[in-house]
Amino acid sequence: LRKASKRLTCHKRYKIQKKIREHHRKVRKEAKKRGHKKPKKDPGIPSAAPFKEELLREAEQRKQRLEELKQKQKLNRQKEHEKKRKLEAKKNAAKITEKDGKVCESSGKSKAMAKKLPDKNSKKSFCRELNKVIEASDVVLEVLDARDPMGCRCPQLEQAVTCSGDKKLLLVLNKVDLVPKENLEKWLNYLNKEFPTVAFKSATLMKDKTMFTKRRARVDLSRTTECFGSKCLLRVLQEYVKTQNKAIQVGVVGFPNVGKSSIINSLKGVRACNVGLARGVTKSVQIVHVDKQTKMLDSPSIIADPTNSSLALALRSIIDTEKSDSAEVLEGADAILNHCNKQQVMIRYTMPDFRNTEEFLTLLAQKRGVLKKGGVPDVENIAKLLLCDWTGAKVSYHTQPPESPRPPPYLTEDKIAEMRDCFNLKKLEEENTTTVQAVKSPSPSSSIIFQSDGMTNGTIEEHKVIEEASEWENLETSKEEEEEEDFTESDDQDEDEEEEDVEEVTRKAKPGKRQTSPTNSEKQRAESEHSNSLSISLDKTADEDDAYDFNTDYV
């Protein structure tokens, strides 16, 4: 069907135009009858009037005083509102506590209700869950990033596992595809001297059985979704099961963004655990059954000790990039760039020469289009993106193993022999070589040379974290008390200043009627004289600045 044409005959069109003209004419006539009243202009002071300049100056000063008074009144109103809100909040909190107390008395569970609910995002809960995994597991897998294996090792964790006596510790070298083959072989030889290590490349883009999608998702075919080293790891665990003659629990432990959950998913063959680029995605213990004999325990990440270097805190700590301070993020980006080869970084990001980190971040922000209003480069957000690149799987960098291998003091020869017991090390080495050959690794020229700071200390014991939390709480409470005191003092001062301003305005309006306030001591007299002298001097300077000698024009 064709649409009806919107064309009109000339007679009809002219008729419509005529009606519109008549309507406008009618509206104009009505407006004339009503009479449009224009606002009357202020005639002002005539030029012939004597002392015109002085009168104008006085009027301006009066306006300024009134505006200042209005602003002060507005601030006072705002402060009163804030006070009322605080009081209401306190009353509501008191009511809630009373209600909670009544419920506890009625139920008879006062102790259980008095305890606060544990926050899943708190460091304390992370430590608690991590300790649960270590205690429950028979074999502990410490996951290391192949790009910086030494930086991913936690001496506190290794000591806790080795000193337990009935637990085994295995090192899993993950993200093998981001490191050159020669460097990977060196690291495997170095780490095998202390603990049995497994080269691993976890599978990406795993399917979730619980999700059903009609549309086909776009898959990046350039990235490999194959898993390497899973057969080797499962074989090692099955060997240990045969020696124990019972089902075992395997705890997967490591620093954030190392790939703990992705290893479990690749062993299972399905996305069983949540995985993401953000740090600290796993917040509680997750149990995954791989076989009838093996149970995998996914744990939250180890909390890096605040005494570590800025580089270790930037790469290994649980930083929420969205909520973290800009100073921490910028310090982390600076530490990363200082530990890299400058020329390789320039080649990787295709950037010109830069003097410092700020210049590098501004250039990178301009290149990627991360800008604020007015085209200003957003340095904070680009620093966050840089940290995500280095903790994720975007950037390929590698570190060299130490030349003189010195095992830590807690690793004696007896402990090393105890950890190697029940494992076929020759077969493990052969399977590691096959995985190294099968994985597509970058060339040494394309990978950035990185300087590691060694092992990163972690806090595993829960009571240490509690002490830190209590200190922060005490600091916060003291700050709140100080703010309240300052707030009350400032309110009193503002009220006194307002009263003084009102008195000054009344005095200036009625210069003939001045009253002298009686003084009790010499100090009060001196203060009042000093304040009066200050106010007079200020008024004089203002008058002198505003004044203009019009007699000079006639000379």
Side-chain angles (χ1 to χ4, degrees):
L1 292 167
R2 293 180 71 184
K3 288 183 180 178
S5 178
K6 290 182 181 179
R7 285 185 177 183
L8 297 169
T9 56
C10 291
H11 174 71
K12 211 170 190 179
R13 192 166 68 248
Y14 294 142
K15 198 175 179 182
I16 291 159
Q17 287 173 5
K18 194 179 177 183
K19 279 185 178 179
I20 290 161
R21 281 199 298 274
E22 282 173 3
H23 174 71
H24 287 313
R25 204 180 295 120
K26 196 177 179 183
V27 169
R28 270 187 251 117
K29 271 187 183 181
E30 284 175 2
K32 273 185 183 180
K33 282 176 187 177
R34 276 180 286 166
H36 185 67
K37 290 179 182 179
K38 289 181 180 179
K40 287 182 180 180
K41 287 183 181 179
D42 185 16
I45 301 159
S47 57
F51 311 112
K52 183 185 175 182
E53 291 80 19
E54 289 177 6
L55 291 165
L56 286 166
R57 206 177 298 121
E58 282 175 8
E60 283 176 6
Q61 285 173 4
R62 212 177 292 117
K63 276 182 185 177
Q64 284 176 2
R65 282 174 206 144
L66 287 166
E67 282 175 3
E68 284 172 3
L69 281 168
K70 280 179 182 177
Q71 284 176 358
K72 282 178 181 177
Q73 285 169 2
K74 195 178 180 182
L75 286 167
N76 287 329
R77 271 187 244 113
Q78 285 175 356
K79 284 173 182 177
E80 283 174 5
H81 283 306
E82 283 175 4
K83 278 182 183 178
K84 284 177 183 176
R85 280 174 199 159
K86 281 184 178 179
L87 286 166
E88 284 175 1
K90 282 179 182 177
K91 284 176 184 177
N92 290 328
K95 284 177 183 177
I96 289 159
T97 50
E98 283 175 6
K99 284 178 182 177
D100 290 336
K102 286 175 184 177
V103 170
C104 291
E105 285 170 7
S106 63
S107 62
K109 294 178 182 180
S110 57
K111 288 181 182 179
M113 288 295 286
K115 287 179 183 178
K116 290 181 181 179
L117 290 165
D119 185 15
K120 285 185 178 180
N121 295 326
S122 66
K123 290 181 179 179
K124 186 180 170 183
S125 69
F126 274 45
C127 276
R128 198 187 297 117
E129 295 294 312
L130 185 69
N131 283 318
K132 281 180 188 175
V133 170
I134 293 164
E135 285 172 9
S137 54
D138 300 311
V139 179
V140 178
L141 301 179
E142 191 180 7
V143 184
L144 311 177
D145 193 337
R147 295 174 290 183
D148 184 14
M150 211 68 183
C152 295
R153 284 180 72 177
C154 179
Q156 287 80 12
L157 175 87
E158 289 178 6
Q159 191 172 0
V161 175
T162 51
C163 293
S164 63
D166 58 340
K167 296 181 196 301
K168 298 284 179 184
L169 185 70
L170 288 170
L171 300 179
V172 180
L173 209 63
N174 196 18
K175 299 181 184 179
V176 168
D177 58 326
L178 300 172
V179 176
K181 284 182 181 180
E182 292 174 2
N183 187 41
L184 181 62
E185 285 169 359
K186 284 179 185 177
W187 271 113
L188 285 167
N189 290 328
Y190 175 79
L191 294 168
N192 270 317
K193 289 173 184 176
E194 293 179 9
F195 294 105
T197 53
V198 180
F200 203 90
K201 193 266 166 190
S202 56
T204 53
L205 304 166
M206 297 292 292
K207 289 180 182 179
D208 192 356
K209 280 186 177 180
T210 57
M211 299 292 285
F212 296 100
T213 52
K214 289 181 181 178
R215 292 182 181 179
R216 288 182 181 178
R218 289 183 181 178
V219 179
D220 188 7
L221 296 170
S222 62
R223 287 288 179 90
T224 54
T225 56
E226 287 181 319
C227 173
F228 296 97
S230 59
K231 288 178 182 178
C232 174
L233 187 59
L234 285 168
R235 187 194 57 75
V236 168
L237 294 170
Q238 281 165 6
E239 279 180 2
Y240 187 70
V241 168
K242 285 175 184 177
T243 56
Q244 296 294 312
N245 293 321
K246 63 168 187 176
I248 59 162
Q249 290 185 337
V250 182
V252 184
V253 173
F255 282 103
N257 276 111
V258 164
K260 301 182 289 296
S261 302
S262 57
I263 282 168
I264 293 166
N265 290 341
S266 51
L267 288 171
K268 180 75 175 171
V270 182
R271 189 176 174 178
C273 303
N274 288 326
V275 181
L277 289 168
R279 303 186 188 189
V281 174
T282 308
K283 291 167 186 175
S284 59
V285 180
Q286 291 180 334
I287 300 161
V288 179
H289 293 269
V290 177
D291 295 334
K292 289 179 180 180
Q293 301 294 322
T294 53
K295 210 188 275 183
M296 303 295 285
L297 305 175
D298 191 11
S299 68
S301 52
I302 302 162
I303 295 154
D305 200 73
T307 56
N308 286 312
S309 62
S310 56
L311 177 73
L313 291 169
L315 292 171
R316 308 282 166 248
S317 64
I318 303 163
I319 298 170
D320 189 359
T321 51
E322 292 178 359
K323 295 177 185 177
S324 59
D325 295 330
S326 59
E328 288 179 7
V329 176
L330 290 167
E331 195 180 344
D334 185 29
I336 287 164
L337 291 169
N338 287 332
H339 284 74
C340 295
N341 190 356
K342 191 179 177 182
Q343 290 179 349
Q344 286 183 332
V345 171
M346 284 159 62
I347 292 160
R348 170 69 183 77
Y349 289 99
T350 59
M351 301 282 286
D353 192 12
F354 56 91
R355 287 170 289 180
N356 50 17
T357 50
E358 284 183 15
E359 193 178 347
F360 173 77
L361 292 169
T362 50
L363 290 165
L364 190 65
Q366 285 170 354
K367 190 188 172 187
R368 290 192 179 180
V370 182
L371 305 169
K372 292 180 184 177
K373 282 184 180 179
V376 179
D378 195 352
V379 177
E380 292 174 13
N381 281 329
I382 204 70
K384 287 173 185 178
L385 288 169
L386 187 81
L387 280 175
C388 288
D389 288 353
W390 281 75
T391 51
K394 276 193 175 182
V395 180
S396 172
Y397 64 91
H398 66 277
T399 55
Q400 293 296 331
E403 292 176 0
S404 56
R406 288 182 182 177
Y410 56 84
L411 264 182
T412 57
E413 289 181 1
D414 295 333
K415 290 281 179 189
I416 291 163
E418 192 183 330
M419 290 293 135
R420 286 182 176 183
D421 192 23
C422 306
F423 297 116
N424 192 352
L425 296 172
K426 284 184 179 179
K427 204 169 187 180
L428 201 148
E429 283 178 10
E430 287 172 6
E431 286 178 348
N432 280 336
T433 51
T434 53
T435 51
V436 169
Q437 288 171 2
V439 170
K440 272 189 178 182
S441 57
S443 61
S445 59
S446 62
S447 182
I448 298 165
I449 297 163
F450 192 75
Q451 292 175 0
S452 180
D453 276 351
M455 289 187 183
T456 52
N457 295 317
T459 51
I460 296 166
E461 295 174 4
E462 194 180 341
H463 66 86
K464 288 183 180 179
V465 180
I466 292 160
E467 284 170 8
E468 287 173 10
S470 63
E471 281 173 13
W472 279 110
E473 282 171 8
N474 292 328
L475 281 168
E476 283 173 1
T477 50
S478 63
K479 279 179 185 176
E480 282 176 2
E481 285 171 4
E482 284 173 5
E483 282 174 2
E484 283 177 2
E485 285 173 5
D486 293 335
F487 187 69
T488 51
E489 284 173 7
S490 64
D491 288 341
D492 296 333
Q493 285 174 3
D494 291 332
E495 284 172 6
D496 294 334
E497 284 173 4
E498 273 183 11
E499 286 172 3
E500 285 173 6
D501 290 330
V502 172
E503 283 174 6
E504 281 178 8
V505 171
T506 53
R507 281 172 193 169
K508 286 179 182 178
K510 297 176 183 179
K513 296 177 182 179
R514 289 188 183 179
Q515 294 177 357
T516 56
S517 59
T519 56
N520 296 324
S521 63
E522 290 178 1
K523 285 181 182 179
Q524 287 180 359
R525 283 177 189 171
E527 285 173 2
S528 63
E529 283 172 7
H530 182 63
S531 62
N532 289 328
S533 65
L534 278 168
S535 63
I536 289 157
S537 63
L538 286 165
D539 291 335
K540 280 182 180 178
T541 50
D543 292 337
E544 284 170 6
D545 290 336
D546 294 335
Y548 179 76
D549 194 1
F550 285 92
N551 295 323
T552 54
D553 292 339
Y554 297 104
V555 176

